[in-house]
Amino acid sequence: MHRSRVWLVAAIAAATVSLTAAHSPSPSQATSAPNPRLEQYKKNVGLEVDGMREDIQRMNDQVFSFGELGFQEFETTKYLTGILRKNGFTVQENLAGIPTAWMASWGSGKPVIAMGSDVDCIPQASQKPGVAWHEAIIEGAPGHGEGHNSGMPLQLAAALSVKKIMEQQHLPGTLKLWPGIAEELLGTKAYYVRAGAFKDVDVTLFAHVGANMQVGWGDSGGNGMVSVEYGFKGESAHAAGAPWRGRSALDAVELMDIGWNFRREHLRIQQRSHYVITNGGDQPNVVPPNASVWYYFRETDYDHIKEMWEIGNTMAKAATMMTNTEMSMRVLGSAWPGHFNKTVAETMHANIEAVGLPQWTEADQTLAKALQKELKVPEIGLATTINPLRGRESIPDDEKRGGGSDDIGDISWNVPTVTLNYPANMQAGPGHNWANAISMATPIAHKGVAYGAKVMALTVLDLVTRPELITQSWDYFNNVQMKDKKYIPLIRPEDKPAIWLNEQTMAKYRPEMKKYYYDPSKYKSYLDQLGIKYPTVRTTPSSPQQ
């Protein structure tokens, strides 16, 4: 997969500029002589990001207020693409046949830098921001209990700032922005790859919310997965009058689940598997003629994921034999475990050290410690020290103990990729939970996104002006990462994006949620619109967790 890259811009030696804190250069950059021109570009782009702080706050809070579940991010898509169009980007809609997916492009020539982040939210995670206990805006409604409202505002701020520098200095290169749609369902990025969305991309820079500023390289240590729904078909009957004439699809679901739970004891420790019954029948007095169960099968590599999937298929077939029912199966999502690029990670980490962490106020730390106390976890507050760059080419399986998945992994096996974690959240919540939404429309998130945007903008400038970094990143990709691997998508040729998911839930809650959409023309922040004092913390000993 070697690619030749002949650019109009001569190689410019690396130099990192202290925007908020001095740092020692990483070993890979220490041997490069400083270049005043790149240093000036970086100073200028830092000033551009600083000038966008109010825009960052508005974008972050606006997306937070939409609170849209995967595949239903229509307001978010309309809002973000509208900003990009106004700023000269060309927007391709309906990317990979997904109504809320898009790819926005600006510029021309090489390098092509793809900048993405997820935008969907979590079911039943509605939460008032800045309030250090569980208090929903709308009870039962979805909300950004993962912090996905912040990533695309970060990328827009970085891209629009870099765009100004590229225009002023006539720098060649192409910026592509795209959203991770339905990431919580692992629902789209493999389809992006299949549709060729990254075929001309040189480097992908991803962003995901975290509690510190960091990037890593090599084996992610996480799991890949396949998301499969099994449907069973039987025959209805009066459950009391003639149950012998029925064939219960729900019995098949329950027998499959029982079988899987017994088998789980004998699966590898690295696996994670979980399910929900999506259809358990209509009412007790009718033998359920159809029922379904939705599984996530997670493992450390493609072969082990496929093995778990086959076990699941065997369980489902066995359940049909026991209940005289029929079975169907559909794939709802998938993800490869990620592998991230060493060259790009080293470049980004040097910029992390240059930018540093936000200066947290007493109010910021008070909110963090109050939530940590509420959740009975260590009261350490917000991060004040940057972690060292970490990475390993390969982590042995016997050191892995399972974990989450992200479909950025599929992209990482097709183009050099890294993920920037930025400090917009607090080290407190369990993830996928109301607690993880508390900071996401507060000054904590606003600062974390702004600082992350600086890191992202500096890294884009490095890649645009230093063609040797692209060459080195592809050398690692081709000769290290891919030396004994081949990417085989877990989605099958007949599989299509599950764009119907979450439609009914959003139809139920959206009318009420619209009343709470952020109106920046009237309110400085979403906290102001909701009438929330920042921070709102308990003044008496905490009551039992709500």
Side-chain angles (χ1 to χ4, degrees):
M1 290 184 66
H2 177 70
R3 298 182 180 183
S4 61
R5 291 174 169 80
V6 180
W7 297 348
L8 299 176
V9 179
I12 300 174
T16 54
V17 57
S18 178
L19 297 177
T20 59
H23 74 284
S24 300
S26 64
S28 64
Q29 297 207 350
T31 58
S32 299
N35 183 280
R37 182 165 51 169
L38 178 55
E39 184 174 337
Q40 189 60 52
Y41 293 167
K42 289 189 169 187
K43 287 180 179 178
N44 291 345
V45 85
L47 293 173
E48 291 290 345
V49 175
D50 285 340
M52 291 192 67
R53 286 183 183 270
E54 289 187 5
D55 297 308
I56 288 169
Q57 174 264 310
R58 284 192 292 266
M59 289 189 291
N60 178 86
D61 290 6
Q62 189 74 70
V63 179
F64 181 91
S65 74
F66 292 147
E68 295 176 299
L69 293 168
F71 290 116
Q72 308 303 319
E73 308 96 334
F74 291 101
E75 295 287 353
T76 302
T77 286
K78 179 181 177 181
Y79 174 70
L80 295 174
T81 57
I83 295 172
L84 289 165
R85 285 191 173 98
K86 288 178 181 178
N87 284 276
F89 280 73
T90 300
V91 179
Q92 174 193 351
E93 298 179 332
N94 202 41
L95 181 66
I98 300 161
T100 54
W102 46 272
M103 179 77 79
S105 302
W106 174 86
S108 63
K110 291 288 190 176
V112 179
I113 310 299
M115 305 164 67
S117 192
D118 304 320
V119 295
D120 59 329
C121 75
I122 299 292
Q124 300 191 50
S126 176
Q127 171 66 33
K128 290 183 178 179
V131 176
W133 59 81
H134 189 194
E135 187 168 327
I137 299 173
I138 301 171
E139 196 63 45
H144 276 288
E146 171 82 351
H148 284 177
N149 61 295
S150 58
M152 285 312 297
L154 181 156
Q155 295 287 31
L156 264 68
L160 296 178
S161 298
V162 170
K163 175 177 176 284
K164 288 189 178 181
I165 305 303
M166 292 176 69
E167 288 174 326
Q168 292 167 0
Q169 303 301 325
H170 307 290
L171 300 176
T174 303
L175 305 180
K176 289 180 173 285
L177 276 75
W178 54 275
I181 295 299
E183 186 277 335
E184 300 300 349
L185 305 171
L186 287 307
T188 59
K189 296 188 185 77
Y191 292 102
Y192 293 174
V193 171
R194 189 169 78 179
F198 295 87
K199 64 182 179 182
D200 64 341
V201 170
D202 293 292
V203 168
T204 295
L205 302 177
F206 197 66
H208 194 282
V209 64
N212 204 328
M213 193 88 76
Q214 59 189 28
V215 66
W217 64 272
D219 191 339
S220 69
N223 280 346
M225 60 149 274
V226 64
S227 166
V228 185
E229 185 178 45
Y230 295 93
F232 296 89
K233 183 179 179 181
E235 184 66 45
S236 65
H238 193 299
W244 53 87
R245 297 184 63 179
R247 291 180 285 117
S248 174
L250 179 59
D251 286 354
V253 164
E254 292 188 294
L255 287 165
M256 178 184 179
D257 294 345
I258 290 169
W260 185 266
N261 286 327
F262 274 100
R263 183 64 177 269
R264 193 195 304 267
E265 179 185 359
H266 307 289
L267 298 176
R268 296 186 347 137
I269 195 170
Q270 293 86 350
Q271 71 86 29
R272 293 288 187 275
S273 51
H274 15 267
Y275 60 83
V276 294
I277 297 175
T278 51
N279 175 15
D282 299 303
Q283 56 193 55
N285 66 327
V286 179
V287 174
N290 47 67
S292 54
V293 60
W294 182 6
Y295 272 80
Y296 278 13
F297 300 122
R298 305 186 197 251
E299 252 284 6
T300 60
D301 57 38
Y302 175 86
D303 290 334
H304 284 105
I305 295 167
K306 289 282 286 185
E307 181 181 351
M308 285 184 70
W309 189 359
E310 286 302 319
I311 294 171
N313 293 345
T314 299
M315 295 282 182
K317 292 174 184 175
T320 66
M321 296 171 68
M322 288 185 281
T323 56
N324 193 24
T325 56
E326 300 173 4
M327 182 270 288
S328 62
M329 173 185 65
R330 59 183 177 181
V331 173
L332 301 185
S334 71
W336 264 61
H339 188 111
F340 300 105
N341 193 266
K342 184 177 183 181
T343 298
V344 182
E346 289 175 341
T347 303
M348 181 173 279
H349 183 74
N351 291 320
I352 288 173
E353 290 183 324
V355 171
L357 289 169
Q359 297 299 308
W360 308 116
T361 64
E362 182 179 351
D364 299 332
Q365 293 285 11
T366 296
L367 179 66
K369 291 179 180 179
L371 179 61
Q372 289 160 354
K373 182 177 181 179
E374 180 82 8
L375 299 182
K376 298 179 175 57
V377 299
E379 296 175 37
I380 59 175
L382 298 166
T384 56
T385 304
I386 292 171
N387 295 325
L389 175 66
R390 291 191 175 94
R392 294 168 68 183
E393 180 183 328
S394 178
I395 300 174
D397 248 15
D398 59 7
E399 294 183 25
K400 296 181 180 179
R401 291 297 181 267
S405 312
D406 191 323
D407 52 356
I408 190 61
D410 287 81
I411 295 172
S412 77
W413 288 99
N414 285 272
V415 60
T417 300
V418 299
T419 295
L420 170 68
N421 294 119
Y422 53 93
N425 216 311
M426 304 178 285
Q427 190 172 326
H432 294 183
N433 182 268
W434 54 264
N436 293 80
I438 287 173
S439 70
M440 294 313 305
T442 73
I444 294 172
H446 304 152
K447 294 171 191 175
V449 171
Y451 275 62
K454 280 190 180 183
V455 172
M456 190 65 67
L458 296 182
T459 305
V460 174
L461 279 178
D462 278 321
L463 296 171
V464 166
T465 60
R466 298 182 59 203
E468 73 273 14
L469 292 177
I470 306 296
T471 301
Q472 292 166 13
S473 70
W474 278 94
D475 179 69
Y476 178 88
F477 181 86
N478 289 323
N479 299 315
V480 178
Q481 179 179 342
M482 301 297 293
K483 65 181 179 181
D484 57 359
K485 294 277 190 178
K486 181 181 179 182
Y487 172 74
I488 304 171
L490 286 157
I491 56 171
R492 304 162 301 176
E494 66 269 25
D495 293 325
K496 296 180 180 180
I499 60 176
W500 65 88
L501 289 174
N502 293 319
E503 185 176 1
Q504 293 182 2
T505 302
M506 287 306 302
K508 175 181 178 180
Y509 288 106
R510 196 187 293 276
E512 185 66 17
M513 293 172 69
K514 284 183 177 180
K515 300 175 185 178
Y516 294 92
Y517 286 175
Y518 175 43
D519 185 352
S521 68
K522 295 182 179 179
Y523 302 96
K524 184 178 180 181
S525 71
Y526 198 43
L527 290 174
D528 291 339
Q529 180 169 325
L530 296 176
I532 295 172
K533 180 183 177 182
Y534 180 77
T536 296
V537 302
R538 295 190 190 276
T539 56
T540 57
S542 62
S543 59
Q545 202 173 311
Q546 298 182 48

